[in-house]
Amino acid sequence: MNKKVVIFATYTLWDPPIQNAVNSLLKDSWEVIVIHYYLEIPIFFNNRNFRIIFINDFRKLVFPAFFKALLAWFYYWLKVRWILALEKPDLIIAEMHRPLSAIPKPLLSKTICFIPDIPNIKCSGKLDRMIIRYGWRVMHKCFVVWSSDSYKAELTKKFAQLNYLPIICHNCPSQDYLENFDKNESRSWLLNLLKRNGLVVTDKSMILLRAGAVGEYGGIEETILAMKSLPSEFVFLLMGRPEEDYKSHLVDFIKENEMHHRTYLFNRPDDNEWRKILLAADIGHLIHIRPDDNPAVAAVYDLNSSLSNNRLFQYMAAGLPIISYIDPRMDVIYNEVDCFSIVDTANLTTNLIRTCNELLNNKDKRLAMGTNANSAFNEKYNWEKQFKKIAERLS
């Protein structure tokens, strides 16, 4: 009989590490059960061979926020205990603190806790603060704690008062992520699609791509302004799931700056489109700005670095040179892999103009950076290499 694992997908099945963990455990013949919060299931799991149990979060109820949160948590606590008593899993994977608040303490000894983000407890609601504090307090009872980068591992060790550093498993795509996609075909498909949508592109166009995190403090507006001073070959593409307010702002901003013929937003592309656009691009855009005018978001920035961004490693998988930003927490990978052009976010537009021109005018450098990125992905920063450290603890 196969061993059984229950996985709490706190950030839903759209979260790449959860997707990859599910697939890895299925390949190792585990019986997989996923605890999920949304009825929407990613299309790439349509032919799934695992079970999903939906736990209602009551977000559609018209209740005062605190009472709705309290009701949702109490229902969650009861449902989790019922599921675990019924399923009797051999292994539990708990993403973030909320599952730890409901898993019976005796079962924590067979629990892996995954911390992809460090929560900002000061800006959390009262109930969330209680859940986060409880999670930190009992985390030492888990037999494995896993963080998505070295910075988060250090903070997890500190906040959970662990006497060891959590395992670091980076948020990387799998080795076969782009296996069935052809770069030339993807490029031709993308250029034709852009032409049909009114963009002025040619075979010589230089495509700068931001894959995900389409929102505030991403250097997006500054990049659009930089485009005005860049050669016409430069095209800026964004793809992701922006909030409606930001999407409307972005569309208006592009029109106001008359960049609609060189800037395009792919709103909620499907998985195949996402991968083809990655392969068809020339440069990856990985910029984040510390929001000094927004203390709550600044606190999240300070607790979490781009070392955990899935798009960073997607760019590597696609062999893209990457335009990134000054952040001492990123120095470990900047020094290890020569695939980054680093800009100072102070006076960002001017710095982007200079950096983009340098990449445009130095093809050899651009190709070498892309090769370095892809080599790092193949040798180290892929899911199989990263998850191996956790899989070894399960044997």
Side-chain angles (χ1 to χ4, degrees):
M1 183 179 293
N2 293 344
K3 289 185 176 181
K4 184 186 294 185
V5 56
V6 170
I7 300 178
F8 289 89
T10 302
Y11 288 168
T12 79
L13 269 170
W14 292 99
D15 193 25
I18 293 297
Q19 296 173 24
N20 289 329
V22 167
N23 289 328
S24 292
L25 291 164
L26 287 171
K27 287 178 183 177
D28 285 341
S29 300
W30 285 79
E31 179 186 348
V32 177
I33 301 167
V34 175
I35 311 299
H36 192 57
Y37 295 86
Y38 299 103
L39 291 174
E40 180 186 15
I41 305 298
I43 191 169
F44 35 89
F45 276 136
N46 275 354
N47 298 317
R48 61 185 185 271
N49 52 349
F50 59 92
R51 282 192 286 146
I52 293 177
I53 299 176
F54 171 71
I55 296 184
N56 196 336
D57 59 7
F58 298 102
R59 67 182 56 205
K60 293 184 179 180
L61 286 182
V62 184
F63 272 28
F66 179 76
F67 292 107
K68 183 163 63 173
L70 194 62
L71 173 63
W73 178 83
F74 184 61
Y75 177 79
Y76 176 84
W77 186 90
L78 289 174
K79 189 75 177 280
V80 166
R81 291 187 166 233
W82 179 79
I83 291 168
L84 295 177
L86 183 67
E87 299 293 345
K88 297 180 172 56
D90 302 285
L91 175 68
I92 301 168
I93 297 180
E95 184 179 33
M96 294 297 288
H97 302 75
R98 190 173 181 84
L100 297 184
S101 70
I103 297 171
K105 284 185 180 179
L107 296 185
L108 292 174
S109 62
K110 60 170 71 175
T111 297
I112 294 176
C113 181
F114 166 40
I115 301 295
D117 292 310
I118 304 296
N120 176 16
I121 196 166
K122 291 182 180 178
C123 295
S124 300
K126 184 176 181 180
L127 181 59
D128 285 335
R129 289 199 300 271
M130 294 170 61
I131 289 171
I132 293 166
R133 289 191 179 109
Y134 180 83
W136 287 133
R137 198 160 60 243
V138 301
M139 200 170 292
H140 70 280
K141 296 180 180 292
C142 299
F143 87 98
V144 169
V145 179
W146 143 35
S147 296
S148 51
D149 66 54
S150 54
Y151 185 71
K152 288 186 176 68
E154 291 285 357
L155 289 176
T156 297
K157 178 182 178 181
K158 174 184 174 182
F159 295 142
Q161 297 184 357
L162 304 176
N163 57 11
Y164 61 90
L165 192 69
I167 293 175
I168 298 166
C169 175
H170 287 284
N171 182 9
C172 304
S174 59
Q175 287 175 313
D176 62 356
Y177 183 65
L178 298 172
E179 192 173 74
N180 297 319
F181 295 83
D182 180 81
K183 188 173 184 67
N184 291 331
E185 288 180 4
S186 297
R187 180 79 174 191
S188 177
W189 168 84
L190 178 60
L191 291 178
N192 287 330
L193 180 61
L194 293 175
K195 288 174 184 176
R196 291 198 300 272
N197 282 281
L199 273 76
V200 179
V201 291
T202 69
D203 292 341
K204 295 182 180 179
S205 291
M206 185 67 54
I207 297 175
L208 174 63
L209 171 67
R210 184 174 182 89
V214 179
E216 292 183 284
Y217 310 113
I220 292 171
E221 290 82 358
E222 291 86 349
T223 304
I224 292 169
L225 292 175
M227 295 285 293
K228 292 180 164 185
S229 300
L230 289 171
S232 59
E233 294 98 314
F234 254 96
V235 177
F236 184 33
L237 303 185
L238 306 104
M239 61 179 181
R241 300 162 65 88
E243 298 288 340
E244 282 301 318
D245 287 349
Y246 185 79
K247 178 187 168 186
S248 297
H249 155 75
L250 181 59
V251 170
D252 291 342
F253 191 85
I254 291 170
K255 287 181 180 178
E256 287 168 8
N257 287 281
E258 299 182 346
M259 283 289 108
H260 50 279
H261 60 295
R262 292 174 58 197
T263 305
Y264 189 75
L265 168 65
F266 286 93
N267 186 39
R268 296 173 175 260
D270 67 32
D271 193 52
N272 285 339
E273 291 171 335
W274 187 285
R275 299 184 199 205
K276 287 195 287 188
I277 295 166
L278 269 172
L279 263 184
D282 297 290
I283 304 169
H285 186 282
L286 185 80
I287 294 175
H288 295 273
I289 301 170
R290 188 183 189 280
D292 296 330
D293 60 340
N294 189 326
V297 181
V300 174
Y301 177 99
D302 291 342
L303 290 168
N304 299 279
S305 83
S306 290
L307 269 174
S308 284
N309 291 165
N310 187 250
R311 62 188 162 279
L312 163 59
F313 303 107
Q314 287 182 353
Y315 294 152
M316 287 185 170
L320 302 183
I322 301 167
I323 296 179
S324 193
Y325 61 105
I326 295 173
D327 183 343
R329 298 169 299 184
M330 296 289 289
D331 284 350
V332 60
I333 199 164
Y334 289 165
N335 294 329
E336 179 187 354
V337 187
D338 184 12
C339 68
F340 298 94
S341 285
I342 302 167
V343 297
D344 190 342
T345 54
N347 200 12
L348 180 55
T349 297
T350 298
N351 290 327
L352 279 169
I353 293 168
R354 184 186 67 252
T355 298
C356 288
N357 274 317
E358 287 174 356
L359 289 173
L360 177 66
N361 296 322
N362 194 334
K363 182 178 179 181
D364 289 342
K365 177 181 179 181
R366 198 171 66 244
L367 293 177
M369 290 169 66
T371 299
N372 293 339
N374 186 248
S375 295
F377 168 76
N378 289 325
E379 294 168 10
K380 179 177 179 180
Y381 292 108
N382 61 73
W383 179 258
E384 288 78 4
K385 291 284 178 67
Q386 293 295 314
F387 193 70
K388 184 179 179 181
K389 294 168 282 190
I390 296 169
E392 287 172 348
R393 297 292 299 273
L394 305 181
S395 57

